[in-house]
Amino acid sequence: MKNENQITALIFAVTTLLYGALRAPLTWHDEHARVAWAILHGHTYIDDIVMKAGRFHTTLGEHAGGLGGHGYSIHPPLSAFLSLPFVAAGITNEVTISVLFGALAVALMWRLTHSLWLTALFGFGTPFGYEASLGASWGMCSTISCVFTLLALLSVKKGSAARTGLAAGFAALARYDLVLTWPVY
């Protein structure tokens, strides 16, 4: 078990370095970080964040109008909630957050398969690595949903129905369409 944890940590570190070296400098779609900033300031609308915060790269981006004429993010909420500690620490560049969750997903893939070949293929031979290092809003949703989907699959492997359900539920909070995978579990 100790060796497995060391290999997992090594894969996480190497993937973080590689994704970090390949990452986009900034993304034009950073709604999750803006929603996290809004939550930290006592609301959930994102229309005035660019003017008040002054630290986000884009204008309003993808949003839907709502109460009081404010704009709200159309993306699922989990990515914004997981961005809270980063944004509170001053890391508002969503690409950095996405790279870390992408590396975590690659490490979890190794835990699931115990195959360096399949892990490398997943992390660097599919669109996953591109999306994780791009850090745009839809890609970040997919990256975070992969983390929780892999946790659900690991829980299935260990025979824990409660953990499987919890992880699958969190995956659906990252991408709404993952509710459709629940019957598979």
Side-chain angles (χ1 to χ4, degrees), residues 15-143:
T15 306
T16 300
L17 290 172
L18 290 172
Y19 281 0
L22 300 171
R23 65 180 244 158
L26 288 172
T27 178
W28 288 99
H29 304 284
D30 58 357
E31 285 84 7
H32 305 298
R34 282 186 275 155
V35 171
W37 188 90
I39 291 169
L40 290 170
H41 289 83
H43 57 85
T44 57
Y45 54 86
I46 61 173
D47 51 339
D48 68 343
I49 290 175
V50 176
M51 287 72 77
K52 286 183 180 175
R55 58 177 90 149
F56 293 93
H57 186 60
T58 68
T59 57
L60 188 54
E62 297 176 323
H63 70 286
L67 297 172
H70 292 295
Y72 296 86
S73 175
I74 62 171
H75 299 285
L78 185 62
S79 299
F81 284 113
L82 293 176
S83 297
L84 283 170
F86 297 98
V87 173
I91 301 169
T92 58
N93 184 347
E94 198 167 283
V95 180
T96 302
I97 302 166
S98 184
V99 162
L100 291 172
F101 280 105
L104 178 58
V106 173
L108 289 171
M109 177 59 83
W110 183 83
R111 287 297 277 254
L112 180 67
T113 64
H114 292 284
S115 168
L116 290 175
W117 167 248
L118 289 175
T119 301
L121 181 64
F122 169 73
F124 300 97
T126 66
F128 179 81
Y130 170 75
E131 290 294 342
S133 61
L134 181 63
S137 295
W138 286 107
M140 187 165 164
C141 289
S142 295
T143 301

Side-chain angles (χ1 to χ4, degrees), residues 156-182:
V156 167
K157 189 176 175 181
K158 292 181 180 181
S160 174
R163 281 190 238 162
T164 300
L166 190 62
F170 277 115
L173 287 173
R175 278 190 57 108
Y176 298 131
D177 57 346
L178 287 178
V179 167
L180 300 172
T181 65
W182 288 356

